[in-house]
Amino acid sequence: AAVHDEVRSVEVLAPTACPRYLGRVIRNVDLSKPTPLWMVERLRRADVRSIDAAVDITNYVMLELGQPLHAFDLAEINGGIRVRMAEEGEKLVLLDGQEVSLRSDTLVIADHTRALAIAGVMGGEHSGVSATTRDVFLESAFFDQIAVAGKARSYGLHTDASHRYERGVDWQLAREAMERATGLLLEITGGEAGPIIETVSEQHLPSIAPITLRAQRITQMLGMEMDSAQVERLLSALGLSITADGEGQWRVEVPSHRFDISLEVDLIEELARLYGYNRLPVRYPQARLAPQAKAEARSDLPELRRLLVARGYQEAITYSFIDPRQFELFNPGVEPLLLANPISNDMAAMRSSLWPGLVKALQHNLNRQQDRVRLFESGLRFVGQLEGLKQEPMLSGVVCGSRLPEGWAQGRDTVDFFDVKADVEAVLGFAGALDSFTFAPGKHPALHPGQTARIEREGREVGFIGAIHPELSKALGLDRPVFVFELVLAEVALGKMPKFHELSRFPEVRRDLALIAHKDVAASAVLDVIRENAGEWLTELRLFDVYQGKGIDPDRKSLAVGLTWQHPSRTLNDDEVNSTTQNILTSLEQRLNATLRK
């Protein structure tokens, strides 16, 4: 009971975040008195360090009832208490000596001149009790779970109070905890208690409407019937008020301390827990499942995985979030999409490519004496910011080391661009549409300027292949050539419907052409011109030699191609083949200035 009438005014300026706040002035306490040994020992067993009587009592009541409390030095409070949102950049020195710059979304306990504590997290150093404290202002409040969630971590803190408020506290417990703490404080330190000042915003307090529980729903979810007497016995044992509400259903009223129960399924979960999960019957669902026809024009991701494994790759699974510094290395000048609450500082940015994770896995293997590494990964990349964010499934790989595994029958040549290109072409051609993809010289900030190809399909960019840029390799500590590729999975999987063509019984005719073209002319351009002019009976076109050197103009190169024709119903004669060959040579000279080598 109150023995004096001294109070401090309490204003709650943020009732949504703090629907209930209780405060009480306790005068003439003697904090030089030691905390009783029984309380010190109980705190020690709960892994809580004893500090002084006032702090120990608030910690003890928090452990005993689950309600965090805080004790302020009344002499350090200027005017009354104001529960408000912090001003942007407002400074506060916490009890651990750390000075923090507060954000405007942080709820604070303040007086009329300054912030005294971060609500639900930690008090300030200057307003905390000490050995010289004579008068205490005891606080017991309910802070909204959403309002305080994540605030402690955002300031690099984690306290017993924040741990409880973030998970929910009984909103009707504050007065009981206040009375219990007051009784202990008067018993241990002496003093005189004043009246409790309580500010409540009823409309912002949580409330749980009565829940209707149906026997039919229990049977449906648990796979067994539970008799009425057993349902009522189990739920009543939890402190729930349960009354029959018609045939086969109950009306259940939930007390404030079970704020985790708000739906019918929550009650059924409690029934399953109390009945025993191991006692629930095992029943397998029955369904009529018709087999679905496989789309012949698409290749599935598991098939592409098996293809790459067969070509010597191993699958890797890396995190979707990476170090922002690594993001900058692979994407200079691009703003990353940052996580609001990252696991750690080196996992704070969403990846815009799978390469950073794969290269990190490659480094891990190289550091463990694995000289030949071939890894691939399928997963999402995240391009852009929250508005307009593009999440796109990709298939990526990284390669370094020798071309073939060590063995007596093969050499020790190092893998090069064309080895990786062959692997990529195998993936692109798996669905039968390799001829719809083209490789063109490209530019990418993470790739070598002279060893980079942009992969296109009907004018759309669908991927990149190339060697890691030398400067990036140096920054990553890579001492050998590393090649990477990345493909848009949707484009790779889309192929063409296979069609049957009858095999010809007539002989093939082959012509080999040695062509001289400018060194900057792409071989693919030469092959495209040949296909356009070779006629419908061309069955195979192969580039089998490229030469630059002695006997050739330094600005030109020699390309040797083999053309094979076969008619489905007759034998081709020399005049037809010679005429077609001459048309090809004329077109090559007119369009690419490519001539037959003398």
Side-chain angles (χ1 to χ4, degrees), residues 494-511:
L494 184 61
K496 292 181 180 179
M497 183 69 73
K499 294 181 181 180
F500 171 74
H501 292 280
E502 186 176 354
L503 296 177
S504 175
R505 294 177 296 174
F506 296 89
E508 296 178 341
V509 178
R510 172 162 174 153
R511 293 287 189 273

Side-chain angles (χ1 to χ4, degrees), residues 85-103:
M85 305 308 292
E87 298 176 4
E88 190 68 34
E90 187 175 4
K91 303 295 183 182
L92 174 63
V93 179
L94 300 173
L95 282 171
D96 61 0
Q98 174 187 353
E99 183 180 50
V100 294
S101 180
L102 301 173
R103 300 186 305 274

Side-chain angles (χ1 to χ4, degrees), residues 357-436:
L358 285 172
V359 170
K360 187 175 180 180
L362 174 109
Q363 290 174 302
H364 184 86
N365 281 271
L366 293 178
N367 292 338
R368 283 154 183 81
Q369 299 175 316
Q370 301 301 309
D371 294 329
R372 185 176 187 269
V373 182
R374 289 172 174 245
L375 300 174
F376 78 93
E377 180 179 11
S378 59
L380 293 176
R381 71 172 178 182
F382 305 84
V383 180
Q385 297 301 309
L386 286 178
E387 293 184 6
L389 176 64
K390 186 178 181 181
Q391 303 182 63
E392 196 169 24
M394 306 296 289
L395 181 64
S396 300
V398 60
V399 179
C400 82
S402 59
R403 176 176 291 129
L404 297 170
E406 186 177 4
W408 65 271
Q410 51 258 15
R412 300 178 61 87
D413 294 341
T414 302
V415 69
D416 61 21
F417 177 91
F418 296 102
D419 294 317
V420 183
K421 183 173 181 283
D423 295 332
V424 172
E425 287 181 334
V427 172
L428 297 178
F430 191 75
L434 179 59
D435 57 352
S436 66

Side-chain angles (χ1 to χ4, degrees), residues 49 60 122 137 205 224-225 247 303 396 416 566 594:
R49 180 171 58 90
Y60 183 80
M122 184 181 288
F137 183 81
L205 281 174
M224 59 170 286
E225 291 187 7
E247 186 69 25
E303 295 175 323
S396 300
D416 61 21
Q566 187 178 33

Side-chain angles (χ1 to χ4, degrees), residues 131-203:
T132 60
T133 299
R134 298 299 302 166
D135 302 322
V136 170
F137 183 81
L138 194 61
E139 167 194 279
S140 180
F142 170 73
F143 301 117
D144 180 70
Q145 184 176 353
I146 302 299
V148 299
K151 294 299 182 294
R153 178 180 289 181
S154 68
Y155 289 105
L157 303 170
H158 181 271
T159 63
D160 289 327
S162 68
H163 190 86
R164 284 162 175 77
Y165 277 124
E166 288 178 346
R167 288 156 179 77
V169 171
D170 183 354
W171 64 88
Q172 295 183 359
L173 187 61
R175 180 173 285 271
E176 179 183 349
M178 174 70 80
E179 296 289 7
R180 172 63 169 156
T182 300
L184 289 172
L185 196 61
L186 297 180
E187 177 185 339
I188 295 171
T189 68
E192 304 158 359
I196 295 176
I197 301 299
E198 182 174 9
T199 301
V200 181
S201 176
E202 296 287 350
Q203 63 183 4

